Amino acid sequence: MHDLIADIKSQSETLLANAGLLDQAYHSSSRWTGGSDGFVITGMATSLWAWHSASLILSTAGIGHAVADTSEYHRYGTAQSDTSPLIITSRSGESAEIINLLDVVQPGRPVIAVTASEHSTLGRKATNVLPFKAEEKAFYNTSSFTTTLCVATSMAAGLANRTDLAPAAWLAKLAEKVDVVANLDQEVFAAAAAAIAQSRVAIMTGRGHLIGLAQQASLDLQEGMRIAAIPVSGGLLRHGPMELINLPDSVVVMLIPNDHMAGIMVRLASDLVGYGASVVAIAAGPVDLPASVSVIRVPETIPELNAVVFAVALQKLNVSVAQALNMSTIEPALIPKITRVE
């Protein structure tokens, strides 16, 4: 667990170490995609979900794009005939699905690689590479996820011509906020962690820029703690999944930034508590939640960067969940760090 805690605390330093790369991502993305309106973004699991917030930036700017699971895009999509620019994200650059996709990419198709392994198969075969730095000693994804979030945001900002989202405008302040969360005392997370550790079903819910993070956080609970975590957007929770709170060993984990939907999410939390649910929340700023909700407070930032700050809080929370379960390390038994079989 010491390696994981060290990885979490090193993230602000890692983000700053990637400043040049983020600047390159911002300034080069339009040129590398040829100003195309209709490119494809793909990856698997963590690498895919890191693009959700960036995809909202692109959609808001009216930029046509598709975000697709690599295996589904290859096996059921147009990967073998498509010639539009392709952005592939993979920490290792060696996942089976990525290798299989690269084998069928049309010759001459622009491929942009976002990877921590410049000399991987993905790095070697790509037209352009954004090789980010994200060294991790533990199995658990920490810097590789938060750095990928920032690379995706930088690329989307460049493509959308969002000068307010140029990395130079936010990186230093973001690193400070990440450092604040990474150095919170673990006791801050104890009550929330106890509620999750006692549960076998966890509904992970967020909205907007945090939906991809809810997916990643669910994966972390699934593979690390073997808790049946289910990501559900806040808007869909009342459309069926809420019935799961009737299970005696369930918990709802809510991600609530202080944005225009905070009031709706607070009302949802209040209703859940009224129905007898166990509710845990990570909230930014002065979001006012019912007294029975175990709340972890994080610093406020702009919507496009919330996922990074909340991600670090979830990493700290998972350390406390593992400790509550008397686990000495967070590492799955069936899943390798690099998936070699599709």
Side-chain angles (χ1 to χ4, degrees), residues 124-199:
R124 294 195 309 273
K125 290 191 173 184
T127 313
N128 298 101
V129 185
L130 288 168
F132 62 84
K133 303 179 184 73
E135 293 186 11
E136 296 162 333
K137 294 181 180 179
F139 177 92
Y140 189 94
N141 290 311
T142 49
S143 287
S144 59
F145 182 59
T146 51
T147 303
T148 303
L149 283 168
C150 289
V151 174
T153 298
S154 299
M155 291 185 73
L159 287 160
N161 197 28
R162 287 280 301 274
T163 56
D164 61 312
L165 279 180
W170 50 260
L171 182 58
K173 290 181 180 179
L174 178 64
E176 290 177 3
K177 296 176 191 294
V178 164
D179 195 52
V180 167
V181 178
N183 285 286
L184 288 173
D185 192 283
Q186 283 300 143
E187 278 301 310
V188 172
F189 302 86
I196 296 171
Q198 293 167 8
S199 305

Side-chain angles (χ1 to χ4, degrees), residues 97-145:
E97 299 84 358
I98 301 298
I99 303 305
N100 292 340
L101 172 63
L102 289 169
D103 286 341
V104 302
V105 167
Q106 285 284 321
R109 184 180 186 183
V111 174
I112 302 163
V114 179
T115 180
S117 305
E118 183 175 8
H119 302 294
S120 63
T121 302
L122 172 58
R124 294 195 309 273
K125 290 191 173 184
T127 313
N128 298 101
V129 185
L130 288 168
F132 62 84
K133 303 179 184 73
E135 293 186 11
E136 296 162 333
K137 294 181 180 179
F139 177 92
Y140 189 94
N141 290 311
T142 49
S143 287
S144 59
F145 182 59

Side-chain angles (χ1 to χ4, degrees), residues 246-289:
N246 287 317
L247 296 172
D249 54 354
S250 64
V251 65
V252 181
V253 183
M254 305 186 72
L255 310 177
I256 312 177
N258 189 22
D259 64 7
H260 65 289
M261 292 301 292
I264 299 295
M265 290 293 276
V266 168
R267 185 174 67 191
L268 176 59
S270 298
D271 289 349
L272 290 167
V273 169
Y275 295 141
S278 174
V279 180
V280 166
I282 299 177
V287 175
D288 189 19
L289 288 155

